[in-house]
Amino acid sequence: MNDGRPTTALEVIAPALRRAREEAGISLNELAKRAGLAKSTLSQLESGAGNPSVETLWAVAATLEIPFSRLVEPPAPHVKVIRSGRAPKLGSEQGDFAAGLLSSCPAGASRDLYEITLPPEQERHAEPHHRGTVEHLVVTSGTLRAGPATEPVELDFGDYLTFSGEVAHVYRTLSLQATALLIMEHK
């Protein structure tokens, strides 16, 4: 489980970029040429240095023909929590804009979106869903404890949680009422 420590964008980007380039079977020099970037820029990014912009990473993703999210999303742990405001953010060269990816949709998956409301002191137990189900939860008001029944996590407004829906799980309010955005991913 994520310990709540913010992950820097470069801690995610460096290994993801190297892995994607190697999977494509092209050299650093060739990738730089195709993406219209300096080889030194890509070399710095792969070594965990530099300061990538959204535009640089989009050029790399487009050249490698992969989703942008593959370069910026951390590897998925069993249970992942991103506290409000702590998603690794990338700035833009075009102004005051920053984007922090919470989750990307894997190939071959679909997602259903729900708004859930839990009254005060309510607990809901859910049985395991079918194989390949992943739940994503963003708290929109209140405080709740949610996640696998064996390791629920306390969440506040704006926090993001994801976990396998293949195990028994629970939602419990810790405030007067709680609401959340629930995304069910199915493969």
Side-chain angles (χ1 to χ4, degrees):
M1 178 172 25
N2 183 315
D3 63 4
R5 179 183 66 87
T7 302
T8 67
L10 280 174
E11 289 175 332
V12 174
I13 293 166
L17 175 58
R18 185 177 310 105
R19 186 173 42 255
R21 181 182 57 76
E22 290 172 354
E23 287 173 1
I26 62 175
S27 68
L28 195 60
N29 192 45
E30 183 63 23
L31 176 58
K33 188 184 310 179
R34 290 183 193 178
L37 300 168
K39 179 182 175 186
S40 60
T41 298
L42 293 181
S43 179
Q44 285 182 329
L45 293 179
E46 279 197 8
S47 68
N51 188 17
S53 67
V54 170
E55 292 80 6
T56 297
L57 294 176
W58 273 109
V60 170
T63 301
L64 292 173
E65 298 180 355
I66 61 172
F68 175 82
S69 60
R70 280 204 42 212
L71 297 177
V72 297
E73 182 173 47
H78 173 68
V79 174
K80 176 171 81 172
V81 177
I82 299 177
R83 300 294 177 195
S84 182
R86 291 193 182 171
K89 296 212 174 29
L90 293 171
S92 172
E93 296 170 351
Q94 300 176 15
D96 192 19
F97 172 86
L101 179 70
L102 298 176
S103 173
S104 62
C105 190
S110 62
R111 290 185 171 171
D112 300 326
L113 185 65
Y114 301 91
E115 179 182 34
I116 61 172
T117 303
L118 293 138
E121 299 179 20
Q122 177 73 35
E123 184 165 282
R124 181 185 184 311
H125 293 269
E127 294 299 317
H129 302 300
H130 68 273
R131 184 180 162 109
T133 301
V134 176
E135 294 203 10
H136 304 266
L137 189 76
V138 177
V139 178
T140 55
S141 73
T143 305
L144 57 91
R145 183 177 306 278
T150 58
E151 55 181 316
V153 178
E154 187 169 322
L155 303 166
D156 292 315
F157 170 79
D159 289 346
Y160 166 75
L161 169 71
T162 187
F163 59 92
S164 171
E166 297 178 21
V167 298
H169 45 286
V170 64
Y171 302 94
R172 176 172 177 66
T173 53
L174 300 176
S175 58
L176 295 178
Q177 177 174 303
T179 59
L181 177 66
L182 173 64
I183 302 165
M184 299 282 293
E185 179 181 302
H186 310 283
K187 294 181 185 170

